[in-house]
Coordinates of all heavy atoms in Angstrom, one line a residue:
M1 N 195.3 -12.6 357.4 CA 195.5 -11.3 358.0 C 197.0 -10.9 357.6 O 197.9 -11.7 357.8 CB 195.4 -11.5 359.5 CG 195.8 -10.2 360.3 SD 195.5 -10.4 362.1 CE 193.8 -10.4 362.3
T2 N 197.1 -9.7 357.2 CA 198.5 -9.2 356.8 C 199.1 -8.6 358.0 O 198.6 -8.4 359.0 CB 198.3 -8.2 355.7 OG1 197.6 -7.0 356.3 CG2 197.6 -8.7 354.5
A3 N 200.5 -8.4 357.8 CA 201.3 -8.0 358.9 C 200.8 -6.6 359.4 O 200.8 -6.2 360.5 CB 202.7 -7.9 358.5
N4 N 200.3 -5.7 358.4 CA 199.9 -4.4 358.8 C 198.7 -4.3 359.6 O 198.3 -3.3 360.2 CB 199.8 -3.5 357.5 CG 201.1 -3.4 356.9 OD1 202.2 -3.3 357.5 ND2 201.1 -3.1 355.5
T5 N 197.8 -5.4 359.6 CA 196.5 -5.3 360.3 C 196.6 -5.9 361.6 O 195.6 -5.9 362.3 CB 195.4 -6.0 359.5 OG1 195.8 -7.4 359.2 CG2 195.2 -5.4 358.2
R6 N 197.8 -6.5 362.0 CA 197.8 -7.1 363.3 C 198.0 -6.1 364.4 O 198.7 -5.1 364.2 CB 199.1 -8.0 363.4 CG 199.0 -9.3 362.6 CD 200.3 -10.1 362.6 NE 200.0 -11.3 361.9 CZ 201.0 -12.0 361.4 NH1 202.3 -11.6 361.5 NH2 200.9 -13.1 360.6
P7 N 197.1 -6.1 365.4 CA 197.1 -5.1 366.4 C 198.4 -4.9 367.1 O 198.7 -3.8 367.3 CB 196.1 -5.7 367.5 CG 195.3 -6.7 366.7 CD 196.2 -7.3 365.6
T8 N 199.2 -5.9 367.4 CA 200.4 -5.7 368.1 C 201.5 -5.0 367.2 O 202.4 -4.4 367.7 CB 201.1 -7.0 368.6 OG1 201.2 -7.9 367.5 CG2 200.2 -7.6 369.6
E9 N 201.3 -5.1 365.9 CA 202.3 -4.4 365.0 C 202.1 -2.9 365.1 O 203.1 -2.1 364.8 CB 202.1 -4.9 363.6 CG 202.2 -6.3 363.3 CD 203.7 -6.8 363.4 OE1 204.6 -5.9 363.1 OE2 204.0 -7.9 363.7
R10 N 200.9 -2.4 365.4 CA 200.6 -1.0 365.5 C 200.9 -0.4 366.9 O 200.6 0.8 367.1 CB 199.3 -0.8 365.0 CG 199.1 -1.0 363.5 CD 197.7 -0.6 363.0 NE 197.0 -1.9 363.0 CZ 195.7 -2.0 363.5 NH1 195.1 -0.9 363.9 NH2 195.1 -3.1 363.5
V11 N 201.2 -1.2 367.9 CA 201.4 -0.8 369.2 C 202.7 0.2 369.2 O 203.7 -0.3 368.9 CB 201.5 -1.8 370.3 CG1 201.9 -1.3 371.6 CG2 200.3 -2.7 370.2
P12 N 202.6 1.4 369.6 CA 203.8 2.2 369.6 C 204.7 1.8 370.7 O 204.2 1.4 371.8 CB 203.2 3.7 369.8 CG 201.9 3.5 370.4 CD 201.3 2.1 369.9
T13 N 205.9 1.8 370.5 CA 206.9 1.4 371.6 C 207.9 2.6 371.7 O 208.2 3.4 370.8 CB 207.7 0.2 371.1 OG1 208.3 0.4 370.0 CG2 206.8 -1.0 371.1
A14 N 208.4 2.7 372.9 CA 209.3 3.8 373.2 C 210.3 3.2 374.2 O 210.0 2.5 375.1 CB 208.7 5.0 373.8
V15 N 211.6 3.5 374.1 CA 212.6 3.0 374.9 C 213.1 4.3 375.7 O 213.4 5.3 375.2 CB 213.8 2.4 374.1 CG1 215.0 2.0 375.1 CG2 213.3 1.4 373.2
P16 N 213.1 4.1 377.1 CA 213.6 5.3 377.9 C 215.0 5.6 377.6 O 215.8 4.7 377.1 CB 213.4 4.7 379.3 CG 212.4 3.7 379.3 CD 212.6 3.0 377.9
D17 N 215.4 6.8 377.8 CA 216.7 7.3 377.4 C 217.8 6.6 378.2 O 219.0 6.4 377.6 CB 216.8 8.8 377.7 CG 215.9 9.6 376.7 OD1 215.6 9.1 375.7 OD2 215.6 10.8 377.2
D18 N 217.5 6.1 379.3 CA 218.6 5.5 380.1 C 218.7 4.0 380.0 O 219.4 3.3 380.7 CB 218.5 5.8 381.6 CG 217.0 5.4 382.2 OD1 216.2 5.2 381.3 OD2 217.0 5.3 383.4
E19 N 217.9 3.5 379.0 CA 217.9 2.0 378.8 C 218.3 1.7 377.3 O 218.0 2.5 376.4 CB 216.5 1.4 379.1 CG 216.2 1.4 380.6 CD 214.9 0.8 380.9 OE1 214.4 0.0 380.0 OE2 214.3 1.0 381.9
T20 N 218.8 0.6 377.1 CA 219.3 0.1 375.8 C 218.6 -1.2 375.5 O 218.8 -2.2 376.3 CB 220.8 0.0 375.7 OG1 221.4 1.2 376.0 CG2 221.1 -0.4 374.3
P21 N 217.9 -1.4 374.5 CA 217.2 -2.7 374.2 C 218.3 -3.7 373.9 O 219.4 -3.5 373.4 CB 216.4 -2.4 373.0 CG 216.3 -1.0 372.8 CD 217.5 -0.4 373.5
A22 N 218.1 -5.0 374.3 CA 219.0 -6.1 374.1 C 219.0 -6.5 372.6 O 220.0 -7.0 372.1 CB 218.7 -7.2 375.0
A23 N 217.8 -6.2 372.0 CA 217.7 -6.6 370.6 C 216.6 -5.8 369.9 O 215.7 -5.3 370.5 CB 217.3 -8.2 370.5
W24 N 216.8 -5.7 368.6 CA 215.8 -5.0 367.7 C 215.4 -6.1 366.7 O 216.2 -6.8 366.1 CB 216.4 -3.9 367.0 CG 216.8 -2.7 367.8 CD1 218.1 -2.6 368.5 CD2 216.1 -1.6 368.2 NE1 218.1 -1.5 369.3 CE2 217.0 -0.8 369.1 CE3 214.8 -1.1 368.0 CZ2 216.5 0.3 369.7 CZ3 214.4 0.0 368.5 CH2 215.3 0.7 369.4
C25 N 214.1 -6.0 366.4 CA 213.6 -6.9 365.3 C 214.2 -6.4 364.0 O 214.0 -5.2 363.7 CB 212.0 -6.9 365.3 SG 211.4 -7.8 363.8
P26 N 214.8 -7.3 363.2 CA 215.4 -6.8 361.9 C 214.3 -6.5 360.9 O 214.6 -6.0 359.8 CB 216.3 -8.0 361.5 CG 215.7 -9.2 362.2 CD 215.0 -8.7 363.5
H27 N 213.1 -6.9 361.0 CA 212.0 -6.7 360.1 C 211.1 -5.6 360.4 O 210.8 -4.8 359.5 CB 211.2 -8.0 360.0 CG 212.0 -9.2 359.6 ND1 212.4 -9.4 358.4 CD2 212.3 -10.3 360.4 CE1 213.1 -10.5 358.3 NE2 213.1 -11.1 359.5
C28 N 210.8 -5.3 361.7 CA 209.9 -4.2 362.0 C 210.5 -3.2 363.0 O 209.8 -2.3 363.4 CB 208.6 -4.7 362.5 SG 208.7 -5.6 364.1
A29 N 211.8 -3.4 363.3 CA 212.6 -2.5 364.2 C 212.0 -2.3 365.6 O 212.1 -1.3 366.2 CB 212.7 -1.1 363.5
R30 N 211.2 -3.3 366.1 CA 210.6 -3.2 367.4 C 211.7 -3.6 368.4 O 212.4 -4.6 368.2 CB 209.5 -4.2 367.5 CG 208.7 -4.2 368.7 CD 207.5 -5.1 368.8 NE 206.9 -5.2 370.0 CZ 205.8 -5.8 370.3 NH1 205.2 -6.4 369.3 NH2 205.3 -5.9 371.5
P31 N 211.8 -2.8 369.5 CA 212.9 -3.1 370.5 C 212.4 -4.2 371.4 O 211.2 -4.3 371.7 CB 213.0 -1.8 371.2 CG 211.7 -1.1 371.1 CD 211.1 -1.5 369.8
F32 N 213.4 -5.0 372.0 CA 213.1 -6.0 373.0 C 214.0 -6.0 374.1 O 215.2 -5.6 373.9 CB 213.1 -7.4 372.3 CG 212.0 -7.6 371.3 CD1 212.2 -7.3 370.0 CD2 210.8 -8.0 371.7 CE1 211.2 -7.5 369.1 CE2 209.7 -8.1 370.8 CZ 209.9 -7.9 369.5
A33 N 213.6 -6.3 375.3 CA 214.4 -6.3 376.5 C 215.4 -7.4 376.5 O 216.4 -7.3 377.2 CB 213.5 -6.4 377.7
T34 N 215.1 -8.6 375.8 CA 216.0 -9.7 375.8 C 216.1 -10.3 374.4 O 215.1 -10.1 373.6 CB 215.5 -10.9 376.8 OG1 214.3 -11.3 376.4 CG2 215.4 -10.3 378.2
E35 N 217.1 -11.0 374.1 CA 217.3 -11.6 372.8 C 216.3 -12.7 372.7 O 215.8 -12.9 371.5 CB 218.7 -12.3 372.8 CG 219.9 -11.4 372.6 CD 220.1 -10.9 371.2 OE1 219.5 -11.6 370.3 OE2 220.7 -9.9 371.0
R36 N 215.9 -13.4 373.8 CA 214.9 -14.5 373.7 C 213.5 -14.0 373.3 O 212.8 -14.5 372.5 CB 214.8 -15.2 375.0 CG 213.9 -16.4 375.0 CD 214.0 -17.2 376.2 NE 212.8 -17.0 377.0 CZ 212.6 -17.6 378.2 NH1 213.5 -18.4 378.6 NH2 211.5 -17.3 378.8
L37 N 213.1 -12.8 373.8 CA 211.8 -12.2 373.4 C 211.8 -11.8 371.9 O 210.8 -12.0 371.2 CB 211.5 -11.0 374.2 CG 211.2 -11.3 375.7 CD1 211.1 -9.9 376.4 CD2 210.0 -12.1 375.9
C38 N 213.0 -11.4 371.4 CA 213.1 -11.1 370.0 C 213.0 -12.3 369.1 O 212.3 -12.2 368.1 CB 214.4 -10.3 369.8 SG 214.6 -9.8 368.0
A39 N 213.6 -13.4 369.6 CA 213.6 -14.6 368.8 C 212.1 -15.1 368.8 O 211.7 -15.6 367.7 CB 214.5 -15.7 369.5
L40 N 211.4 -15.1 370.0 CA 210.0 -15.5 369.9 C 209.1 -14.6 369.1 O 208.2 -15.1 368.3 CB 209.5 -15.5 371.3 CG 210.1 -16.6 372.3 CD1 209.7 -16.3 373.7 CD2 209.7 -18.0 371.9
H41 N 209.4 -13.3 369.0 CA 208.7 -12.4 368.1 C 208.9 -12.8 366.7 O 208.0 -12.7 365.9 CB 209.1 -11.0 368.4 CG 208.7 -10.0 367.4 ND1 207.4 -9.5 367.3 CD2 209.4 -9.4 366.3 CE1 207.4 -8.6 366.3 NE2 208.5 -8.6 365.7
L42 N 210.1 -13.0 366.3 CA 210.5 -13.4 364.9 C 209.6 -14.7 364.5 O 209.1 -14.7 363.4 CB 211.9 -13.7 364.7 CG 212.8 -12.5 364.7 CD1 214.2 -12.8 364.8 CD2 212.6 -11.6 363.5
G43 N 209.5 -15.6 365.4 CA 208.8 -16.8 365.1 C 207.3 -16.6 365.0 O 206.5 -17.2 364.3
D44 N 206.8 -15.6 365.8 CA 205.4 -15.3 365.8 C 204.9 -14.4 364.7 O 203.8 -14.6 364.1 CB 205.1 -14.6 367.2 CG 203.6 -14.5 367.4 OD1 202.8 -15.5 367.1 OD2 203.2 -13.4 367.8
R45 N 205.7 -13.4 364.4 CA 205.3 -12.4 363.4 C 206.0 -12.4 362.1 O 205.5 -11.9 361.1 CB 205.6 -11.0 364.0 CG 204.7 -10.7 365.3 CD 203.3 -10.7 364.9 NE 202.5 -10.5 366.1 CZ 201.2 -10.7 366.2 NH1 200.6 -11.1 365.2 NH2 200.6 -10.5 367.4
H46 N 207.2 -13.0 362.0 CA 208.0 -13.0 360.7 C 208.5 -14.3 360.2 O 209.5 -14.5 359.7 CB 209.2 -12.0 360.9 CG 208.9 -10.6 361.4 ND1 208.2 -9.7 360.7 CD2 209.1 -10.1 362.7 CE1 208.0 -8.6 361.4 NE2 208.5 -8.8 362.6
R47 N 207.6 -15.3 360.5 CA 207.9 -16.6 360.1 C 208.2 -16.8 358.6 O 209.1 -17.7 358.2 CB 206.8 -17.6 360.5 CG 207.2 -19.0 360.6 CD 206.0 -19.8 361.2 NE 206.0 -19.6 362.6 CZ 206.0 -20.6 363.5 NH1 206.1 -21.8 363.1 NH2 206.0 -20.3 364.7
D48 N 207.6 -16.0 357.8 CA 207.8 -16.1 356.3 C 209.1 -15.5 355.9 O 209.6 -15.7 354.8 CB 206.7 -15.5 355.6 CG 205.4 -16.3 355.8 OD1 205.5 -17.4 356.2 OD2 204.3 -15.6 355.7
E49 N 209.7 -14.6 356.8 CA 210.8 -13.8 356.4 C 212.2 -14.2 357.0 O 213.2 -13.7 356.7 CB 210.6 -12.4 356.7 CG 209.3 -11.9 356.2 CD 208.8 -10.5 356.8 OE1 209.5 -9.5 356.4 OE2 207.9 -10.5 357.6
W50 N 212.1 -15.1 358.0 CA 213.2 -15.4 358.9 C 214.3 -16.2 358.1 O 214.0 -16.9 357.1 CB 212.9 -16.0 360.1 CG 212.2 -17.3 360.1 CD1 212.0 -18.1 359.1 CD2 211.6 -18.0 361.2 NE1 211.4 -19.2 359.4 CE2 211.1 -19.2 360.7 CE3 211.4 -17.6 362.6 CZ2 210.4 -20.1 361.6 CZ3 210.8 -18.5 363.4 CH2 210.4 -19.8 362.9
T51 N 215.5 -16.2 358.7 CA 216.6 -17.0 358.2 C 216.8 -18.3 359.0 O 216.1 -18.5 360.0 CB 217.9 -16.2 358.3 OG1 218.2 -16.0 359.7 CG2 217.9 -14.9 357.6
A52 N 217.6 -19.2 358.5 CA 217.8 -20.5 359.2 C 218.3 -20.2 360.7 O 217.8 -20.9 361.6 CB 218.7 -21.4 358.4
N53 N 219.2 -19.3 360.8 CA 219.7 -19.0 362.1 C 218.6 -18.4 363.0 O 218.6 -18.8 364.2 CB 220.9 -17.9 362.0 CG 221.5 -17.6 363.3 OD1 221.6 -18.6 364.1 ND2 222.0 -16.5 363.5
Q54 N 217.8 -17.6 362.5 CA 216.7 -17.0 363.3 C 215.7 -18.1 363.7 O 215.1 -18.1 364.8 CB 215.9 -15.9 362.5 CG 216.8 -14.7 362.4 CD 216.2 -13.6 361.4 OE1 215.3 -14.0 360.6 NE2 216.5 -12.4 361.6
R55 N 215.4 -19.1 362.8 CA 214.6 -20.1 363.1 C 215.2 -21.0 364.2 O 214.5 -21.5 365.1 CB 214.3 -21.0 361.8 CG 213.3 -22.1 362.1 CD 213.1 -23.0 360.9 NE 214.4 -23.8 360.7 CZ 215.0 -23.9 359.6 NH1 214.7 -23.2 358.6 NH2 216.2 -24.6 359.5
D56 N 216.5 -21.3 364.2 CA 217.1 -22.1 365.2 C 217.0 -21.4 366.6 O 216.7 -22.0 367.6 CB 218.6 -22.3 364.8 CG 218.8 -23.3 363.7 OD1 217.8 -24.0 363.4 OD2 219.8 -23.3 363.1
R57 N 217.3 -20.0 366.5 CA 217.1 -19.3 367.8 C 215.7 -19.3 368.3 O 215.4 -19.4 369.5 CB 217.6 -17.8 367.6 CG 219.0 -17.7 367.5 CD 219.6 -16.3 367.4 NE 218.6 -15.3 367.7 CZ 218.5 -14.1 367.1 NH1 219.5 -13.9 366.1 NH2 217.6 -13.2 367.4
Y58 N 214.7 -19.2 367.4 CA 213.3 -19.3 367.8 C 213.0 -20.7 368.5 O 212.4 -20.8 369.5 CB 212.4 -19.1 366.7 CG 211.0 -19.4 366.9 CD1 210.2 -18.5 367.7 CD2 210.4 -20.6 366.5 CE1 208.8 -18.8 368.0 CE2 209.0 -20.9 366.7 CZ 208.3 -20.0 367.5 OH 207.0 -20.3 367.8
E59 N 213.4 -21.7 367.8 CA 213.2 -23.1 368.3 C 213.8 -23.3 369.7 O 213.2 -23.8 370.6 CB 213.6 -24.2 367.4 CG 212.7 -24.2 366.1 CD 213.3 -25.0 365.0 OE1 214.4 -25.6 365.2 OE2 212.5 -25.3 364.0
S60 N 215.0 -22.8 369.9 CA 215.6 -22.9 371.2 C 214.9 -22.0 372.3 O 214.7 -22.5 373.3 CB 217.1 -22.4 371.1 OG 217.8 -22.3 372.3
A61 N 214.5 -20.9 371.9 CA 213.8 -19.9 372.8 C 212.4 -20.6 373.2 O 212.0 -20.5 374.3 CB 213.6 -18.6 372.3
Y62 N 211.8 -21.2 372.1 CA 210.5 -21.7 372.4 C 210.6 -23.0 373.3 O 209.7 -23.2 374.2 CB 209.9 -22.2 371.0 CG 208.5 -22.7 371.1 CD1 207.4 -21.8 371.1 CD2 208.2 -24.1 371.2 CE1 206.1 -22.3 371.2 CE2 206.9 -24.6 371.3 CZ 205.9 -23.6 371.3 OH 204.5 -24.1 371.4
D63 N 211.6 -23.8 373.1 CA 211.8 -24.9 374.0 C 212.1 -24.5 375.4 O 211.6 -25.0 376.4 CB 213.1 -25.8 373.5 CG 212.7 -26.6 372.3 OD1 211.5 -26.8 372.1 OD2 213.6 -27.1 371.7
D64 N 212.9 -23.4 375.6 CA 213.2 -22.9 376.9 C 212.0 -22.4 377.6 O 211.7 -22.7 378.8 CB 214.3 -21.8 376.9 CG 215.6 -22.3 376.5 OD1 215.9 -23.5 376.5 OD2 216.5 -21.5 376.1
E65 N 211.2 -21.7 376.8 CA 209.9 -21.1 377.4 C 208.9 -22.2 377.7 O 208.3 -22.1 378.7 CB 209.3 -20.1 376.4 CG 208.1 -19.4 377.1 CD 207.6 -18.2 376.3 OE1 206.8 -18.4 375.4 OE2 208.1 -17.2 376.6
S66 N 208.9 -23.2 376.9 CA 208.0 -24.4 377.2 C 208.4 -25.1 378.4 O 207.5 -25.5 379.3 CB 207.9 -25.4 376.0 OG 207.4 -24.7 374.9
N67 N 209.6 -25.3 378.7 CA 210.1 -25.9 379.9 C 209.8 -25.1 381.0 O 209.4 -25.5 382.2 CB 211.6 -26.2 379.8 CG 212.1 -27.3 378.8 OD1 211.1 -28.0 378.4 ND2 213.2 -27.2 378.2
E68 N 210.1 -23.7 381.0 CA 209.8 -22.9 382.1 C 208.3 -22.9 382.4 O 207.8 -22.8 383.5 CB 210.2 -21.5 381.8 CG 211.8 -21.3 381.9 CD 212.2 -19.9 381.6 OE1 211.4 -19.0 381.5 OE2 213.4 -19.8 381.3
L69 N 207.4 -22.9 381.4 CA 206.0 -22.9 381.6 C 205.6 -24.2 382.2 O 204.7 -24.2 383.1 CB 205.3 -22.7 380.2 CG 203.8 -22.5 380.3 CD1 203.4 -21.3 381.1 CD2 203.2 -22.4 378.9
F70 N 206.2 -25.4 381.8 CA 205.8 -26.6 382.5 C 206.1 -26.6 384.0 O 205.3 -27.1 384.8 CB 206.6 -27.8 381.8 CG 206.4 -29.1 382.3 CD1 205.2 -29.7 382.1 CD2 207.3 -29.7 383.0 CE1 204.9 -31.0 382.6 CE2 207.2 -30.9 383.6 CZ 205.9 -31.6 383.4
I71 N 207.4 -26.1 384.3 CA 207.7 -26.0 385.7 C 206.7 -25.1 386.5 O 206.3 -25.4 387.6 CB 209.2 -25.5 385.8 CG1 210.2 -26.4 385.2 CG2 209.5 -25.2 387.3 CD1 210.2 -27.8 385.8
F72 N 206.4 -24.0 385.8 CA 205.4 -23.1 386.4 C 204.0 -23.8 386.7 O 203.4 -23.7 387.8 CB 205.1 -21.9 385.6 CG 204.0 -21.0 386.1 CD1 204.3 -20.2 387.2 CD2 202.8 -20.9 385.5 CE1 203.3 -19.3 387.7 CE2 201.8 -20.2 385.9 CZ 202.0 -19.3 387.0
H73 N 203.6 -24.7 385.7 CA 202.4 -25.4 385.9 C 202.4 -26.4 387.0 O 201.5 -26.6 387.8 CB 202.0 -26.1 384.6 CG 201.4 -25.2 383.6 ND1 201.4 -25.4 382.2 CD2 201.0 -23.9 383.7 CE1 200.9 -24.5 381.6 NE2 200.6 -23.5 382.4
L74 N 203.7 -27.0 387.1 CA 203.8 -28.0 388.3 C 203.8 -27.2 389.6 O 203.1 -27.8 390.6 CB 205.2 -28.7 388.1 CG 205.3 -29.7 387.1 CD1 206.7 -30.3 387.0 CD2 204.2 -30.8 387.3
K75 N 204.4 -26.0 389.6 CA 204.2 -25.3 390.9 C 202.8 -24.9 391.3 O 202.4 -25.0 392.4 CB 205.2 -24.0 390.8 CG 206.6 -24.4 390.8 CD 207.4 -23.1 390.7 CE 208.9 -23.4 390.6 NZ 209.7 -22.2 390.4
V76 N 202.1 -24.5 390.3 CA 200.7 -24.1 390.5 C 199.8 -25.3 391.0 O 199.0 -25.2 391.9 CB 200.1 -23.4 389.2 CG1 198.6 -23.3 389.3 CG2 200.7 -22.1 389.0
I77 N 200.1 -26.4 390.3 CA 199.3 -27.6 390.7 C 199.7 -28.0 392.2 O 198.8 -28.4 393.0 CB 199.6 -28.8 389.7 CG1 198.8 -28.5 388.4 CG2 199.1 -30.1 390.3 CD1 199.1 -29.4 387.3
S78 N 201.0 -27.9 392.5 CA 201.4 -28.3 393.8 C 200.8 -27.3 394.9 O 200.4 -27.8 395.9 CB 202.9 -28.2 393.9 OG 203.6 -29.1 393.1
A79 N 200.7 -26.1 394.5 CA 200.1 -25.1 395.4 C 198.6 -25.4 395.6 O 198.1 -25.4 396.7 CB 200.3 -23.7 394.9
L80 N 197.9 -25.7 394.5 CA 196.4 -26.0 394.6 C 196.3 -27.2 395.4 O 195.3 -27.3 396.2 CB 195.9 -26.1 393.2 CG 195.8 -24.8 392.4 CD1 195.2 -25.1 391.0 CD2 194.8 -23.9 393.1
V81 N 197.1 -28.3 395.2 CA 196.9 -29.5 396.0 C 197.1 -29.2 397.4 O 196.4 -29.8 398.4 CB 197.8 -30.6 395.4 CG1 197.8 -31.8 396.4 CG2 197.4 -31.1 394.0
G82 N 198.2 -28.5 397.8 CA 198.5 -28.1 399.1 C 197.3 -27.4 399.7 O 196.9 -27.6 400.9
V83 N 196.7 -26.4 399.1 CA 195.6 -25.6 399.6 C 194.4 -26.6 399.8 O 193.7 -26.5 400.8 CB 195.3 -24.5 398.6 CG1 193.9 -23.8 399.0 CG2 196.3 -23.4 398.7
F84 N 194.2 -27.5 398.9 CA 193.1 -28.4 399.0 C 193.2 -29.3 400.3 O 192.2 -29.4 401.0 CB 193.0 -29.3 397.7 CG 192.1 -30.5 397.8 CD1 190.7 -30.2 397.8 CD2 192.6 -31.7 398.1 CE1 189.8 -31.3 397.9 CE2 191.7 -32.8 398.3 CZ 190.3 -32.6 398.2
F85 N 194.4 -29.9 400.4 CA 194.6 -30.7 401.7 C 194.6 -29.9 402.9 O 194.1 -30.4 404.0 CB 195.8 -31.5 401.5 CG 195.6 -32.7 400.6 CD1 196.2 -32.8 399.3 CD2 194.9 -33.8 401.0 CE1 196.0 -33.9 398.5 CE2 194.7 -34.9 400.2 CZ 195.2 -34.9 399.0
A86 N 195.1 -28.7 402.9 CA 195.1 -27.9 404.1 C 193.6 -27.6 404.5 O 193.2 -27.7 405.6 CB 195.8 -26.5 403.8
F87 N 192.8 -27.2 403.5 CA 191.4 -27.0 403.9 C 190.6 -28.3 404.3 O 189.9 -28.3 405.2 CB 190.6 -26.4 402.7 CG 190.8 -24.9 402.6 CD1 191.5 -24.3 401.5 CD2 190.3 -24.0 403.6 CE1 191.6 -22.9 401.5 CE2 190.5 -22.7 403.5 CZ 191.1 -22.1 402.5
T88 N 191.0 -29.4 403.6 CA 190.3 -30.7 404.0 C 190.7 -31.1 405.4 O 189.8 -31.5 406.2 CB 190.7 -31.7 402.9 OG1 190.4 -31.3 401.6 CG2 190.1 -33.1 403.2
Y89 N 192.0 -31.1 405.7 CA 192.3 -31.5 407.0 C 191.9 -30.5 408.0 O 191.4 -30.9 409.2 CB 193.9 -31.5 407.1 CG 194.4 -32.8 406.5 CD1 195.4 -32.7 405.5 CD2 193.9 -34.0 406.8 CE1 195.9 -33.9 404.9 CE2 194.4 -35.2 406.3 CZ 195.4 -35.1 405.3 OH 195.8 -36.2 404.7
T90 N 191.8 -29.2 407.8 CA 191.2 -28.2 408.7 C 189.8 -28.5 409.0 O 189.3 -28.5 410.1 CB 191.5 -26.8 408.2 OG1 192.9 -26.6 408.0 CG2 190.9 -25.8 409.1
Y91 N 189.1 -28.8 407.9 CA 187.6 -29.1 408.0 C 187.5 -30.4 408.8 O 186.6 -30.5 409.7 CB 187.0 -29.2 406.7 CG 185.6 -29.6 406.7 CD1 184.6 -28.6 407.1 CD2 185.2 -30.9 406.5 CE1 183.2 -29.0 407.1 CE2 183.8 -31.3 406.5 CZ 182.9 -30.2 406.8 OH 181.6 -30.6 406.9
A92 N 188.3 -31.5 408.5 CA 188.1 -32.7 409.1 C 188.4 -32.7 410.6 O 187.7 -33.4 411.4 CB 189.0 -33.7 408.4
F93 N 189.4 -32.0 411.0 CA 189.9 -32.1 412.4 C 189.4 -30.9 413.3 O 189.4 -31.0 414.5 CB 191.4 -32.1 412.5 CG 192.0 -33.4 411.8 CD1 192.8 -33.3 410.7 CD2 191.7 -34.6 412.4 CE1 193.3 -34.5 410.2 CE2 192.2 -35.8 411.8 CZ 193.0 -35.7 410.6
V94 N 189.1 -29.8 412.7 CA 188.7 -28.7 413.5 C 187.1 -28.5 413.6 O 186.6 -28.3 414.7 CB 189.3 -27.4 412.9 CG1 188.8 -26.1 413.6 CG2 190.8 -27.4 412.9
W95 N 186.4 -28.6 412.4 CA 185.0 -28.4 412.5 C 184.2 -29.6 412.5 O 182.9 -29.5 412.4 CB 184.6 -27.6 411.2 CG 185.1 -26.2 411.3 CD1 184.8 -25.3 412.3 CD2 186.0 -25.5 410.4 NE1 185.4 -24.1 412.0 CE2 186.1 -24.2 410.9 CE3 186.7 -25.9 409.2 CZ2 187.0 -23.3 410.3 CZ3 187.5 -25.0 408.6 CH2 187.6 -23.8 409.1
S96 N 184.7 -30.8 412.7 CA 183.9 -32.1 412.8 C 183.9 -32.6 414.2 O 184.5 -32.2 415.1 CB 184.4 -33.0 411.8 OG 185.7 -33.4 412.1
Ligands
ZN101 ZN1 209.2 -7.7 364.0

C-alpha cells in the first residue's frame, strides 16, 4: 500500500483560527495538537523517510504511550474485578 492510498492520508484537516498546532508533520504537513502525536504519526506513516532524531522521538513517545496504556489496562481490570466481587457479595448476602 502506498502513502497516497492510505485512508488517513486523505482525511482533510483544518485548524481553527484561534488555535495553533503544537507540531506539523514535515513530510505531509498534517497538524498535530501535541509533539508526541506527531512523533507517533512519523513512526506510523513515514518510517522510511524519518531521521535518527525523529526515530528517537518516536521510540520515546511509543514507550510513554505503552506505559500509559498498561496503567489504563490495570485500572480497567481493577474496576472489572471490583464489579465482579460487588455483584458476587450482593448475590451471596442479599438474595440467598
Ligand atoms: Zn505525515
Side-chain angles (χ1 to χ4, degrees):
M1 179 178 285
T2 64
N4 292 335
T5 59
R6 291 179 176 153
T8 56
E9 301 286 337
R10 289 182 269 136
V11 173
T13 58
V15 179
D17 292 336
D18 57 341
E19 293 184 19
T20 303
W24 296 85
C25 175
H27 302 286
C28 66
R30 184 175 172 176
F32 291 95
T34 64
E35 289 276 346
R36 189 170 102 177
L37 292 175
C38 184
L40 292 171
H41 166 78
L42 287 170
D44 187 46
R45 297 293 178 197
H46 306 291
R47 195 172 284 236
D48 298 335
E49 310 167 72
W50 63 8
T51 63
N53 185 31
Q54 290 170 338
R55 186 186 66 235
D56 291 344
R57 286 185 10 218
Y58 168 76
E59 289 173 353
S60 175
Y62 186 84
D63 285 344
D64 290 346
E65 185 168 86
S66 295
N67 291 338
E68 289 178 13
L69 189 59
F70 179 72
I71 297 298
F72 174 74
H73 286 162
L74 287 179
K75 289 177 182 178
V76 168
I77 289 171
S78 298
L80 289 174
V81 169
V83 168
F84 170 77
F85 280 109
F87 277 116
T88 301
Y89 284 125
T90 301
Y91 178 78
F93 295 118
V94 175
W95 288 301
S96 62

